[in-house]
Amino acid sequence: VGANIGVYSLYAASRNSRCTIYAFEPESQNFSRLCKNIVLNKFRNIVPCNFPLSDRETFDLFYVGEIHAGSALHSLGGVNRFRPNCEAEVLRQGVVALSLDALVEKYGLPCPTLLKIDVDGIEPRILMGARHILSSGSVRSVLLEVNVDASDGRDETGVESWLVQCGYSLSRM
């Protein structure tokens, strides 16, 4: 989730050709490069998905900060708070967002066993939209990048305690 140009997806595909990777990336330039990287590396086990994930099914605005492959700090529902000096977006894109629970329960995607999330700010919303699959015991591991505002490095988003409540133990990198 937050595949960008596909570094983690490509690595996972190269390590296990029998797994299927669903790579979610809503930003157009990143998505284009993700698809190109999949084709160049001849991976048949990566499914690129050009829409954002959230806590529910909804139409929203996706705020794009820069228009070039590899860019980051885009955000669903508002300008990303981590953009330097609160820079404005260059584009607001209309998107339909889905939750992981809806993708599995309503649309028939297989329940993931591993989950990687790097979305620059809406991690709590994505995790709330995955509460059923996270509590199911099917997801063995969650790799989560969380940006924090606190000067002491504390996670003010609450995702750490929420994941512990879902039965996960934490290890920091």
Side-chain angles (χ1 to χ4, degrees):
V1 183
N4 201 282
I5 63 170
V7 173
Y8 282 92
S9 300
L10 296 167
Y11 179 75
S14 73
R15 300 291 297 167
N16 186 348
S17 61
R18 293 174 294 145
C19 71
T20 300
I21 297 127
Y22 291 89
F24 297 92
E25 178 53 56
E27 198 283 316
S28 63
Q29 302 305 302
N30 289 340
F31 184 76
S32 175
R33 184 63 54 90
L34 167 66
C35 292
K36 185 174 184 176
N37 287 338
I38 293 167
V39 170
L40 288 173
N41 288 281
K42 298 180 172 88
F43 286 123
R44 308 295 269 163
N45 58 333
I46 303 175
V47 179
C49 303
N50 191 211
F51 56 89
L53 295 181
S54 188
D55 56 342
R56 64 190 186 289
E57 295 180 75
T58 187
F59 175 84
D60 209 337
L61 294 178
F62 186 72
Y63 290 74
V64 178
E66 299 175 53
I67 304 287
H68 63 82
S71 63
L73 298 177
H74 313 296
S75 188
L76 182 66
V79 174
N80 191 299
R81 65 184 177 174
F82 297 109
R83 290 197 62 72
N85 304 317
C86 298
E87 294 173 5
E89 78 286 349
V90 297
L91 175 68
R92 287 181 300 155
Q93 171 186 333
V95 294
V96 173
L98 296 173
S99 70
L100 278 168
D101 283 342
L103 286 170
V104 170
E105 296 166 3
K106 186 174 179 180
Y107 297 105
L109 260 69
C111 189
T113 55
L114 303 172
L115 188 57
K116 178 278 236 181
I117 302 173
D118 179 1
V119 292
D120 300 325
I122 67 162
E123 295 83 3
R125 288 173 56 189
I126 291 170
L127 291 171
M128 287 303 295
R131 64 184 155 273
H132 294 129
I133 67 166
L134 288 171
S135 297
S136 72
S138 296
V139 181
R140 296 188 320 244
S141 182
V142 178
L143 173 61
L144 178 67
E145 180 180 305
V146 179
N147 296 326
V148 294
D149 284 327
S151 61
D152 60 4
R154 283 182 300 113
D155 170 29
E156 295 178 341
T157 65
V159 298
E160 288 182 19
S161 60
W162 195 84
L163 284 169
V164 168
Q165 290 173 15
C166 288
Y168 295 89
S169 59
L170 303 175
S171 81
R172 296 189 186 280
M173 300 295 259

